[in-house]
Structures are given as structure tokens and as C-alpha cells.
Amino acid sequence: MSILEVRNIEKHFGATQVLNDISFSLEQGQALSIIGSSGSGKTTLLRCLNFLEKPDGGTISVKGNMIFDASDPATQLEKEIRTKRLHFGLVFQNFNLFPQYTALQNVTLARELLAAERGGESKEAIEAAGRELLAQMGLADRANHYPHQLSGGQQQRVAIARALALHPDILCFDEPTSALDPELTGEVLRVIRNLAEQNTTMIIVTHEMAFARDVADQVIFMDGGVIVEQGDPREVIDHPKEERTRQFLSRYSEN
């Protein structure tokens, strides 16, 4: 059974259709890369999966359970959105760390709030788990540093640890290296590569074509709010079948 089933997702902003009939599935432990030009709908798709935007059509299922159906108001209750978001962890382009909190506090805050609401975990246990995640990111010695004391690459690794802290079923990355200097990009990509090797289920919106080809189990090329081509990364990126895909990759290689 697929861990994620997305069927016929639609999204409009006013009269503009941003997503049109988006469908795909993802198996446990797989990494999916989504590529495409700016404005193709990639980020909006991630925001719909994380319920930062409400789809206008379609369904989303996780582990065989329908968590959203645009035709069923019972799946759209505001009080349930926070719980549904726990299925997904989102790493933003620009880190979005809280500047007033240390790296460790950024990682543990959401888990502490959840524990206060639902019980079950001590602050000490949450802090220990947060330190373990920072160590996994190579940041054990930066736990008490504030964001302004960290490089962009370090901040993004803190953001990845934060997303992992709530044990999401699917970890989502929205252009995780786009705000980084080239020399810092590699350290973040190495972390994501390690997560892939640990069979972390991931959706990665990226402009790093070689990375998408080498790390992902499948790739989707989006253009104009639709999926133009999807399949094995080496087939889609190295031997695209669709003319629009070829044009995109040709322009990309020229840049």
C-alpha cells in the first residue's frame, strides 16, 4: 500500500488555476523529486499537502486513510487540520527559524507544545531527542547558538531537524538550497542524501537536477500547474519523452 495517494488535486487563486488534476503516489521509504520552472505550481502543491493552502478539488490519503476530500466537508474541519499536518514535515526555502530561540529550542518547541496539549512526554525526553537530531545534522556543538550565530547551511540543517522532531510520515523540502551560497549547498544536500539512504519518505522540490536524478526514486516534471512527465529520474532527466520536459532541461543546462 502506498503511504501517500494524491488524486486529482486542483487549486485556484481567483481566476488563475495553479494546480490542475495533480495525481501521484509515494511508497514508504521512497524519495520523490519535483522539478519545473518558477510558477509551475511546485510550492503550491507542497503547501496543499501541508494544509497551508486548501485544495479546491481532489483527495489526499495517507497510509490508506482519507485525510482530505474536496467534496466532503467532514474532511475539512479546521480543528482537525493541525492533526493532519503532523503527517507532513515541511522544510522551507528560507529556514523560518524563530530568531529569539536557540537551535535546540527551535527543534523542540513544537514537540513541547504538543506534549503540553496531549501529554505523554517529559521536557527532558524531548530535549534529549532534540539534541540527538542536532547531532544527526552535525550540529551537536551548536545547540545553544541562536540563528544569527549560524551559517545559512547550519540554519537549514536546524530546520530539517525541526521538521523531523514530530516524526512525520513524509518529509517535504521546498527548494532547500535556493537561499544558500553555492559553498553551503553541499552540506544540506549531504544531509538529505543521508536521509534518503535511511529510507526516509520525502518529497523534494529542487532545482538541483543531478541531485534529483541521483537521490530520488521517482521524479515529476511540472509546468503550468500540470504534471507533464513522471517516472524514473534517470529516464525523465536524461531521456525525457515530452517536448516540454526537453525544453526545460535544455534551458536549465544552458544556465
Side-chain angles (χ1 to χ4, degrees), residues 80-154:
E80 297 179 4
I81 292 298
R82 284 179 61 198
T83 299
K84 292 177 179 182
R85 282 183 182 144
L86 295 177
H87 292 294
F88 300 90
L90 179 58
V91 179
F92 297 90
Q93 294 182 29
N94 295 306
F95 325 139
N96 285 16
L97 299 179
F98 295 109
Q100 71 274 32
Y101 295 139
T102 65
L104 180 59
Q105 289 169 329
N106 266 281
V107 172
T108 60
L109 178 61
R111 194 156 160 179
E112 288 176 356
L113 293 173
L114 194 64
E117 181 180 300
R118 302 183 180 183
E121 272 193 305
S122 68
K123 186 171 182 178
E124 291 75 18
I126 293 170
E127 181 175 317
R131 289 187 183 278
E132 185 176 334
L133 280 169
L134 287 174
Q136 184 182 341
M137 299 296 119
L139 296 170
D141 60 342
R142 297 291 190 270
N144 296 319
H145 285 58
Y146 290 88
H148 75 271
Q149 297 173 309
L150 303 172
S151 70
Q154 290 170 338

